[in-house]
C-alpha cells in the first residue's frame, strides 16, 4: 500500500547531538568530548549542584505539595524571582510594575514564545517580513526558532572577526545602521555562544545608541548569567543597561547551565514594557500562544529555582555553586593558554582567556577540526568551538598537544 | 532633515510603546470559571469546571504509586543531563506498550515511532505540525462536534483547516451514530479525522464497540488519516485495555494511526507534563524517517522534554509492583467517578425530578454533558454557587458524597 509518509525525507541529525553520539561510540581511552554545552567537573562528570540536591529533598519531603497544573504563564514566584535575577533586585522597571514574565520550557521555549508573539503583534500584525537579525555566528537553533515562528527574513549581523579573533564592532554597528527600522536583533546577554566574545560596556553603549535611534527591537538571549564571570550582576549588565535606557525588550532566560537543571527545562521570558497596561495586554496574548503550544509549563524545575531564589541561605549557596563552575572554566582557560604558549604553538592564544563563558572559538579550521576528531579522538564542533568544561587537569595536556599537532601539521 | 527625523523619532519612541496595538486576549472560558469560583464566599460553593481529579474530600490526589516512584528515583541520585530530543527512551517504549498492548504486531515489527511530549497538548501540537508539514494531500482536519476547545486553535495555528463531523446528539445527550456515519461518508479522501479514544471531552459520550467497528470500516473506505487523542486511558472505564480498545482495533483494521497520549489524569501528573506522540508507519525505515523529522520539528520549540514526570511514569510502567498498584489506583479513581454519577442520578430522583437522567450514567470519564441550557447554568452559578462551563459540562471529579445531594437539589431546582 502507498504510505502517506512515503515522501518524508530523512532529516539530518542535529550536529551537536550527533557529535556526542559519535563520542559515546568511540572506544579510544583518550577520547575527549569538547562538544555539547554542559558543565563537567574535573572528573569529567555531570555536576548536580549541591543546593539543587538540597532543595530537591525539601520538595520530596513536603507532602503538602502535589502535581496540579501550574497556571498557563507558570509558577508566579518563579517568574518574578527570575526576572529579578535578570534585571536586579532594585530594578526601577520592576518597581514601576512594567515587568512581567512567562515561565517556559528552557531558553529555547522562551525564545519560541517571544518569537511567536513578535510575529503576531510586532511591527504591525502578522508581519512575517520584519527582518530578524542573528549574530554571525550564533547558536544554531536561533534561526530555526524564528523561521518556524513564521519570520521570512532572517539575516546575519557581523559579529565575529576571524582575522583578529575578536568582536567586529565596526561591522556590527554598520549592520545596525543599515538595518531597516524596527528590525529585531537577537543579542547574547553574555558569554556569546559560540564565540565566547562579548562587547565591552562601552561597546554595548554604542550598540544601544544605534538601536534606540533606529527603533530596533532588542531580544536578549541570556543562557549563562552567573556562569560567564561568576558574578550575576556583572553578567546582566547589558540587559540592565538597555532597560535603563528605556527600551521595551524581551529577555529569554535559561536556568539549564547556571542551575545545572538541563533536563527539567527551566526557562523564563522576561518582558519589559512601557507601562503596566501594555505589559498586561502582551502577557494576555502570550498566554494564548502558550495554550496552543504546551498548555502550561512543567512544575518541578520551576519550584526548585523559586525556592532557591527566594530563600536567602539557599540563594547564597547557589551563587557560590555558580562561582565554583565559573572558576573552574576560568582555570581551564588559563591553563590551556599557558600550555599552548609553552609548546610554542603558532598563532596568538590570548583569545582563550579573553573569551568568556563555556565556549571558546579556537580559530581552528575545519581540516584541523577533522584531524582532532578522527586522529586524536577529540570531539569539537566543525566551527572550531570547544566547550571548556570538557577540559580537565587530566586531559588538558593531551588536548594542548593535539591542538599543537593540528595547527603545525594540518593547513 | 535626517537629524530632525531622529529627534522626532526619539521623542516618539520615548512616549509610545511597541505594544499599543496589542489587543487584550479574551479570558480563557474554563479558567474564568475557576476565577469566579475562587471569589465566591458561599461555603456550599462547588467547582465543577476543573478538569482535574479530586478525591472524595474534594482534594487533589497524588497517587501512592507516584510517591513510591518518586522515592525510588530520589534514591538513585540521577544527574540532570539533557534528554534526547525525543525524550526518555524507557518512557516512550512503555508509553507505546500501554496504548497498543505489549504484544502488538506494530511494536514487534518496529514500524512505529513514539516520542515523549509535553503532555497531551504538546503531543497534539507536534502532531499537528507534522501533519501540516508532511501531509500535503489535505489541509483539512475533522473534529467531532463538539470537541475539546483547544483542538481547534492548535490545528489552526499549525496551518490546518478545521471542519467537523456530527457526534453529540443533544436530544438524547448521547452519540449521534447515524449523523456521524453520514458526515464521515462525505469527508474527502485523505483528510485528517480526529477521534477521542475514550471518555470524549466534553460530552463523556463514547461509541460502543460495534459502532467503533463500523466507523473504522467507513473511515478505511474513505481513506482518511486517523488521529486519536487518548487523554484518559484507564480513567474512563477503570480498565486500561478496555479504554484502548478502539485504538487497537483501528490498527488491527489496517489504519496507520497518529496517537496522542496524556498521563496528566490517569497518573495525576498534570503539572509534570507527561505525554507521548505515536506515528504508526508502513515499516521500520519509514518510522526512522518520520522520527528524524519529528526531532526537527521539536528542536525549535523546546529543544528536548522535561525529565521529572517522564521518569516517574516510566518507573511506574516498568516496575511490576508499581504498575500493578497503578492499575488499582486508576480503577479506584474511575470507580469513584462512576459512583458519583450513580449517586447524582439517584439523588435527582429523590428530589422528584421527572427528567430522563440516564445519560449521566451512560456517559463516561471525567466529564458529563448535563444537557443544561445556558440560562440554567447561569442560575446554578448565581443562586447556588455551582460553577460549570456555559455548555452545561460538569467535571464529575468535582462531585463528592458530601456535596452530591446539594448538586442534585440545585439542578432539580433549575430544571423542574
Amino acid at each position: 500500500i502507498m504510505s502517506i509518509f512515503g515522501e518524508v525525507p530523512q532529516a539530518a541529525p542535529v550536529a551537536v547531538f550527533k557529535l556526542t553520539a559519535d563520542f559515546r561510540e568511540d572506544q579510544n581511552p583518550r577520547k575527549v568530548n569538547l562538544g555539547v554545552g554542559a558543565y563537567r567537573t574535573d572528573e569529567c562528570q555531570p555536576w548536580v549542584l549541591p543546593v539543587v540536591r538540597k532543595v530537591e529533598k525539601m520538595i520530596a519531603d513536603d507532602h503538602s505539595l502535589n502535581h496540579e497544573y501550574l497556571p498557563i504563564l507558570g509558577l508566579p514566584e518563579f517568574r518574578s524571582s527570575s526576572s529579578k535575577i535578570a534585571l536586579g533586585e532594585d530594578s526601577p522597571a520592576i518597581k514601576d510594575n512594567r515587568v512581567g514574565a512567562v515561565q517556559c520550557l528552557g531558553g529555547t521555549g522562551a525564545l519560541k514564545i517571544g518569537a511567536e508573539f513578535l510575529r503576531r503583534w510586532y511591527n504591525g500584525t502578522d508581519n512575517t517580513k520584519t527582518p530578524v537579525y542573528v549574530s554571525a555566528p550564533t547558536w544554531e537553533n536561533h534561526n530555526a526558532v524564528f523561521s518556524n515562528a513564521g519570520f521570512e527574513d532572517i539575516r546575519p549581523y557581523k559579529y565575529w572577526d576571524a582575522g583578529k579573533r575578536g568582536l567586529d564592532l565596526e561591522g556590527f554597528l554598520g549592520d545596525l545602521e543599515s538595518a531597516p527600522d524596527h528590525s529585531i536583533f537577537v543579542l547574547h546577554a553574555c558569554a556569546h555562544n559560540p564565540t565566547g566574545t562579548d562587547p565591552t560596556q562601552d561597546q554595548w553603549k554604542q550598540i544601544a545608541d544605534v538601536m534606540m535611534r533606529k527603533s530596533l527591537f532588542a531580544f536578549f538571549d541570556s543562557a549563562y548569567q552567573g556562569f560567564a564571570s561568576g558574578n550575576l550582576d556583572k553578567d546582566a549588565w547589558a540587559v540592565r543597561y538597555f532597560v535603563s535606557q528605556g527600551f521595551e525588550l524581551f529577555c529569554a532566560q535559561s536556568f539549564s547551565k547556571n542551575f545545572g537543571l538541563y533536563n527539567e527545562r527551566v526557562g523564563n521570558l522576561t518582558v519589559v514594557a512601557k507601562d503596566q497596561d501594555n505589559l498586561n495586554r502582551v502577557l494576555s496574548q502570550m498566554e494564548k500562544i502558550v495554550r496552543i503550544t504546551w498548555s502550561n509549563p512543567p512544575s518541578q524545575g520551576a519550584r526548585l529555582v523559586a525556592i532557591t531564589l527566594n530563600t536567602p541561605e539557599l540563594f547564597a549557596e547557589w551563587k557560590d555553586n555558580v562561582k565554583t563552575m565559573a572558576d573552574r572554566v576560568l582555570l581551564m582557560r588559563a591553563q590551556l593558554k599557558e600550555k599552548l604558549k609553552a609548546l610554542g604553538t603558532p598563532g596568538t592564544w590570548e583569545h582563550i582567556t579573553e573569551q568568556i563563558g563555556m565556549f571558546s572559538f579556537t580559530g581552528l579550521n575545519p581540516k584541523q577540526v577533522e584531524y582532532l576528531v578522527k586522529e586524536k579522538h577529540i570531539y569539537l564542533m566543525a566551527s572550531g568551538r570547544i566547550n571548556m568544561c570538557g577540559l580537565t587537569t587530566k586531559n588538558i595536556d593531551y588536548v594542548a598537544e593535539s591542538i599543537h599537532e593540528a595547527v603545525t601539521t594540518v593547513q | 532633515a535626517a537629524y530632525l527625523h531622529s529627534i522626532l523619532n526619539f521623542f516618539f519612541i520615548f512616549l509610545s510603546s511597541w505594544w499599543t496595538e496589542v489587543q487584550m486576549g479574551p479570558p480563557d472560558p474554563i479558567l474564568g470559571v475557576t476565577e469566579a469560583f475562587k471569589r465566591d464566599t458561599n461555603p456550599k460553593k462547588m467547582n465543577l469546571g476543573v478538569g482535574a481529579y479530586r478525591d472524595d474530600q474534594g482534594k487533589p490526589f497524588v497517587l501512592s504509586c507516584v510517591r513510591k516512584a518518586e522515592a525510588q528515583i530520589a534514591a538513585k541520585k540521577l544527574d540532570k543531563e539533557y534528554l534526547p530530543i525525543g525524550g526518555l527512551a524507557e518512557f516512550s517504549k512503555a508509553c507505546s506498550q500501554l496504548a497498543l498492548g505489549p504484544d502488538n504486531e506494530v511494536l514487534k515489527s518496529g514500524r512505529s515511532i513514539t516520542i515523549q511530549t509535553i503532555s497531551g497538548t504538546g503531543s497534539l501540537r507536534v502532531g499537528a505540525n507534522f501533519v501540516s508539514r508532511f501531509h500535503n494531500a489535505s489541509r483539512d482536519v475533522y473534529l467531532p462536534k463538539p470537541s475539546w476547545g483547544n483542538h481547534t486553535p492548535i490545528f489552526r495555528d499549525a496551518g490546518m483547516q478545521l471542519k467537523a463531523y456530527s457526534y453529540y446528539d443533544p436530544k438524547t445527550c448521547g452519540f449521534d451514530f447515524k449523523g456521524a456515519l453520514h458526515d464521515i461518508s462525505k469527508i474527502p479522501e485523505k483528510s485528517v479525522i480526529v477521534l477521542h479514544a475514550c471518555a470524549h471531552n466534553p460530552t463523556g459520550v463514547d461509541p460502543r464497540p460495534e459502532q467503533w467497528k463500523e466507523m473504522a470500516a467507513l473511515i478505511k473506505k474513505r481513506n482518511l488519516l486517523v488521529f486519536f487523542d487518548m487523554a484518559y486511558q484507564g480513567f474512563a472505564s477503570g480498565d486500561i485495555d478496555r479504554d484502548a480498545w478502539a485504538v487497537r482495533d483501528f490498527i488491527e483494521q489496517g489504519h496507520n494511526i497518529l496517537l496522542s497520549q496524556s498521563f496528566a489524569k490517569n497518573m495525576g501528573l498534570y503539572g509534570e507534563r507527561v505525554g507521548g506522540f505515536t506515528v504508526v508507519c508502513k515499516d521500520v525505515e519509514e518510522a526512522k524517517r518520520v522520527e528524524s523529522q519529528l526531532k526537527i520539528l521539536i528542536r525549535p520549540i523546546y529543544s528536548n522534554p522535561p525529565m521529572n514526570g517522564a521518569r516517574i511514569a516510566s518507573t511506574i510502567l516498568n516496575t511490576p509492583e508499581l504498575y500493578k498498584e497503578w492499575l488499582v489506583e486508576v480503577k479506584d479513581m474511575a470507580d469513584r467517578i462512576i459512583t458519583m454519577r450513580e449517586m447524582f442520578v439517584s439523588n435527582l430522583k429523590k428530589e422528584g425530578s421527572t427528567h430522563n437522567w440516564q445519560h449521566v450514567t451512560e456517559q463516561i470519564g471525567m466529564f458529563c454533558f448535563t444537557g443544561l441550557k445556558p440560562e440554567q447554568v447561569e442560575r446554578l452559578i448565581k443562586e447556588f454557587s455551582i460553577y460549570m462551563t456555559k455548555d452545561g459540562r460538569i467535571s464529575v471529579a468535582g462531585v463528592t458524597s458530601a456535596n452530591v445531594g446539594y448538586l442534585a437539589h440545585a439542578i432539580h431546582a433549575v430544571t423542574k
Side-chain angles (χ1 to χ4, degrees):
Chain A
I1 355 154
M2 273 298 291
S3 163
I4 45 168
F5 302 128
E7 302 306 306
V8 173
Q10 176 78 34
V14 178
V16 69
F17 299 134
K18 172 96 181 28
L19 195 72
T20 293
D22 291 344
F23 167 81
R24 282 219 187 91
E25 280 178 33
D26 191 330
Q27 302 300 316
N28 191 295
R30 304 196 81 174
K31 65 180 180 175
V32 183
N33 188 358
L34 302 180
V36 75
Y39 178 79
R40 291 284 176 270
T41 62
D42 200 52
E43 283 71 46
C44 222
Q45 291 302 306
W47 192 50
V48 176
L49 276 58
V51 72
V52 166
R53 282 274 182 246
K54 196 179 274 182
V55 179
E56 263 183 340
K57 185 154 197 318
M58 282 167 64
I59 292 172
D61 290 344
D62 184 351
H63 283 242
S64 74
L65 292 174
N66 55 41
H67 293 290
E68 292 297 291
Y69 287 126
L70 285 181
I72 298 174
L73 294 180
L75 188 67
E77 25 320 359
F78 166 78
R79 293 158 56 206
S80 56
S81 58
S82 297
S83 292
K84 280 209 181 97
I85 288 293
L87 303 183
E89 187 73 44
D90 301 315
S91 168
I94 294 178
K95 289 200 165 74
D96 287 345
N97 293 315
R98 59 191 187 87
V99 174
V102 181
Q103 178 192 338
C104 296
L105 285 267
T108 306
L111 289 162
K112 168 69 171 177
I113 299 303
E116 288 286 347
F117 175 85
L118 290 172
R119 190 263 293 158
R120 286 164 170 73
W121 296 103
Y122 174 70
N123 200 23
T125 47
D126 258 317
N127 188 352
T128 58
K129 303 227 185 300
T130 303
V132 177
Y133 284 79
V134 298
S135 64
T138 193
W139 181 48
E140 122 283 330
N141 206 18
H142 276 150
N143 228 288
V145 171
F146 284 89
S147 66
N148 273 260
F151 287 103
E152 296 172 24
D153 185 359
I154 301 172
R155 315 176 180 183
Y157 60 87
K158 292 187 192 65
Y159 193 85
W160 169 251
D161 184 333
K164 68 173 219 232
R165 288 192 188 163
L167 179 70
D168 178 6
L169 181 68
E170 216 182 289
F172 189 172
L173 292 173
D175 282 348
L176 287 168
E177 288 288 357
S178 64
D181 284 7
H182 309 298
S183 297
I184 296 164
F185 272 75
V186 179
L187 307 169
H188 298 229
C190 69
H192 183 271
N193 178 2
T195 68
T197 299
D198 290 343
T200 62
Q201 288 186 6
D202 205 69
Q203 291 170 334
W204 273 122
K205 286 180 178 172
Q206 293 179 62
I207 292 162
D209 271 350
V210 183
M211 289 187 71
M212 179 58 84
R213 194 172 15 93
K214 290 181 59 64
S215 310
L216 303 174
F217 186 81
F219 196 150
F220 278 98
D221 184 350
S222 177
Y224 301 97
Q225 189 184 359
F227 203 98
S229 69
N231 181 301
L232 288 169
D233 298 311
K234 196 158 166 217
D235 289 350
W237 188 88
V239 179
R240 296 175 190 185
Y241 177 73
F242 271 65
V243 172
S244 75
Q245 295 305 295
F247 281 86
E248 289 180 301
L249 55 80
F250 290 170
C251 181
Q253 302 169 260
S254 167
F255 292 93
S256 291
K257 282 84 173 173
N258 60 15
F259 256 90
L261 285 173
Y262 308 94
N263 69 18
E264 297 297 1
R265 314 313 292 126
V266 197
N268 195 48
L269 177 68
T270 286
V271 176
V272 182
K274 228 13 116 156
D275 54 42
Q276 189 170 53
D277 181 63
N278 277 290
L279 173 72
N280 288 341
R281 280 181 284 106
V282 169
L283 291 177
S284 76
Q285 293 297 346
M286 287 183 172
E287 204 173 273
K288 285 179 69 177
I289 297 166
V290 169
R291 181 66 167 148
I292 56 173
T293 313
W294 53 63
S295 266
N296 42 75
S299 124
Q300 179 72 359
R303 265 182 185 157
L304 213 148
V305 171
I307 291 170
T308 307
L309 297 182
N310 288 315
T311 312
E313 323 85 69
L314 296 173
F315 182 51
E317 188 175 346
W318 173 58
K319 284 195 283 191
D320 209 61
N321 288 172
V322 171
K323 192 162 187 313
T324 297
M325 292 191 285
D327 284 349
R328 195 180 95 67
V329 170
L330 288 168
L331 181 66
M332 290 299 100
R333 286 186 179 277
Q335 288 191 355
L336 181 62
K337 184 178 84 173
E338 277 319 298
K339 290 184 192 293
L340 289 172
K341 280 167 108 165
L343 287 167
T345 309
T348 54
W349 299 99
E350 295 308 311
H351 58 285
I352 294 196
T353 47
E354 276 163 9
Q355 288 166 6
I356 195 168
M358 202 179 269
F359 301 115
S360 175
F361 237 33
T362 54
L364 294 167
N365 66 41
K367 282 214 178 72
Q368 292 164 337
V369 169
E370 202 184 334
Y371 175 83
L372 285 173
V373 177
K374 294 228 149 57
E375 303 303 321
K376 311 302 289 185
H377 307 274
I378 294 172
Y379 290 76
L380 66 157
M381 301 298 288
S383 59
R385 182 192 91 168
I386 60 173
N387 177 5
M388 301 304 299
C389 300
L391 290 175
T392 69
T393 48
K394 296 153 195 73
N395 68 24
I396 195 163
D397 284 312
Y398 177 63
V399 171
E401 282 152 19
S402 304
I403 290 177
H404 180 82
E405 262 179 55
V407 171
T408 52
T409 64
V410 182
Q411 304 313 316
Chain B
Y3 180 68
L4 191 63
H5 169 83
S6 63
I7 294 272
L8 284 172
N9 217 22
F10 177 77
F11 278 112
F12 180 71
I13 294 152
F14 195 76
L15 295 170
S16 75
S17 165
W18 288 130
W19 316 126
T20 311
E21 301 307 308
V22 174
Q23 297 152 28
M24 178 64 91
D28 186 284
I30 298 175
L31 279 180
V33 169
T34 297
E35 293 306 303
F37 168 82
K38 280 194 189 129
R39 285 192 298 264
D40 193 324
T41 51
N42 186 336
K44 292 188 132 161
K45 65 180 181 178
M46 290 176 70
N47 186 358
L48 301 181
V50 70
Y53 179 80
R54 293 286 175 265
D55 64 16
D56 204 45
Q57 274 66 56
K59 297 265 175 301
F61 175 57
V62 178
L63 279 64
S64 163
C65 63
V66 166
R67 290 231 185 272
K68 289 195 176 120
E70 285 176 311
Q72 271 187 33
I73 292 163
K76 290 196 174 130
K77 299 229 177 301
L78 300 165
D79 67 39
K80 303 213 171 287
E81 294 298 288
Y82 286 125
L83 282 175
I85 301 175
L88 185 65
E90 308 99 84
F91 166 76
S92 302
K93 184 152 182 257
C95 178
S96 62
Q97 284 179 346
L98 178 67
L100 272 43
D103 297 321
N104 197 297
E105 155 274 319
V106 163
L107 297 178
K108 290 208 164 101
S109 69
R111 66 179 181 93
S112 65
I113 173 67
T114 300
I115 52 162
Q116 178 191 341
T117 56
I118 317 296
S119 205
T121 301
S123 176
L124 289 161
R125 186 60 211 236
V126 169
N129 286 0
F130 179 74
V131 161
S132 182
R133 186 173 279 187
F134 293 104
H135 185 54
N136 297 311
S138 172
R139 297 286 80 194
D140 292 338
V141 173
Y142 283 76
L143 298 176
K145 226 185 320 186
S147 193
W148 183 44
N150 211 15
H151 277 147
T152 294
I154 288 172
F155 281 103
R156 179 176 296 138
D157 197 61
M160 304 300 286
Q161 302 257 54
L162 275 309
K163 304 236 157 85
Y165 58 93
S166 295
Y167 189 86
Y168 177 73
D169 185 348
K171 287 198 293 292
T172 61
C173 294
F175 183 39
D176 181 4
F177 184 45
K178 273 213 173 73
L181 288 179
H182 173 81
D183 286 356
I184 291 171
S185 69
K186 299 215 153 30
I187 296 179
E189 290 213 351
K190 305 204 179 156
S191 305
V192 179
I193 183 169
V194 172
L195 303 168
H196 295 221
C198 63
H200 181 271
N201 179 1
T203 68
V205 169
D206 286 348
R208 289 194 302 275
E210 343 47 284
Q211 293 171 324
W212 271 126
K213 273 195 150 17
E214 261 195 74
M215 286 166 71
L218 176 60
I219 289 169
K220 195 92 203 287
K221 207 162 136 218
R222 296 303 307 146
N223 194 15
L224 307 177
L225 175 54
V226 172
F227 197 145
F228 267 108
D229 184 353
M230 183 156 70
Y232 300 96
Q233 187 186 6
F235 202 95
S237 68
D239 180 323
I240 49 131
D241 296 310
R242 198 162 144 199
D243 288 348
W245 186 86
V247 169
R248 298 173 188 182
D249 192 62
F250 268 65
I251 290 173
E252 219 177 284
Q253 300 313 314
H255 293 275
N256 284 354
I257 65 167
L258 305 170
L259 169 67
S260 285
Q261 291 170 261
S262 167
F263 289 86
K265 284 85 172 172
N266 60 13
M267 280 194 183
L269 289 174
Y270 307 92
E272 302 297 339
R273 319 309 293 126
V274 194
F277 178 64
T278 296
V279 183
V280 177
C281 301
K282 194 176 73 169
D283 53 39
V284 179
E285 189 269 337
E286 180 174 279
K288 291 252 167 309
R289 282 184 282 116
V290 167
E291 181 185 10
S292 72
Q293 293 297 346
L294 290 174
K295 289 178 182 172
I296 298 288
L297 281 169
I298 288 170
R299 172 81 166 147
I301 306 176
Y302 55 86
S303 277
N304 40 74
M307 167 66 97
N308 196 49
R311 182 69 78 182
I312 295 170
S314 172
T315 302
I316 292 170
L317 294 173
N318 290 310
T319 310
E321 322 87 65
L322 290 181
Y323 183 66
K324 273 204 200 86
E325 189 172 351
W326 174 58
L327 292 179
V328 169
E329 288 191 283
V330 83
K331 185 170 190 312
D332 283 347
M333 289 194 286
D335 283 349
R336 194 184 89 68
I337 302 282
I338 291 167
T339 304
M340 288 303 104
R341 289 179 179 275
E342 287 161 2
M343 283 180 74
F344 181 33
V345 173
S346 68
N347 271 276
L348 279 165
K349 291 204 171 107
K350 262 195 247 142
E351 289 282 333
S353 179
T354 52
H355 292 291
N356 182 351
W357 295 102
Q358 209 178 315
H359 55 282
V360 172
T361 43
E362 276 173 4
Q363 289 169 8
I364 193 169
M366 197 179 279
F367 299 113
C368 169
F369 240 33
T370 53
L372 291 167
K373 302 190 183 52
E375 321 82 74
Q376 293 167 326
V377 170
E378 189 79 39
R379 283 188 65 195
L380 283 171
I381 294 174
K382 291 216 154 61
E383 294 172 38
F384 295 93
S385 297
I386 293 173
Y387 292 80
M388 64 187 69
T389 45
K390 287 274 145 60
D391 55 9
R393 181 193 88 161
I394 62 170
S395 169
V396 184
V399 181
T400 67
S401 37
N403 65 25
V404 65
Y406 178 66
L407 176 65
H409 173 78
I411 291 196
H412 176 60
V414 306
T415 57
K416 60 182 173 195

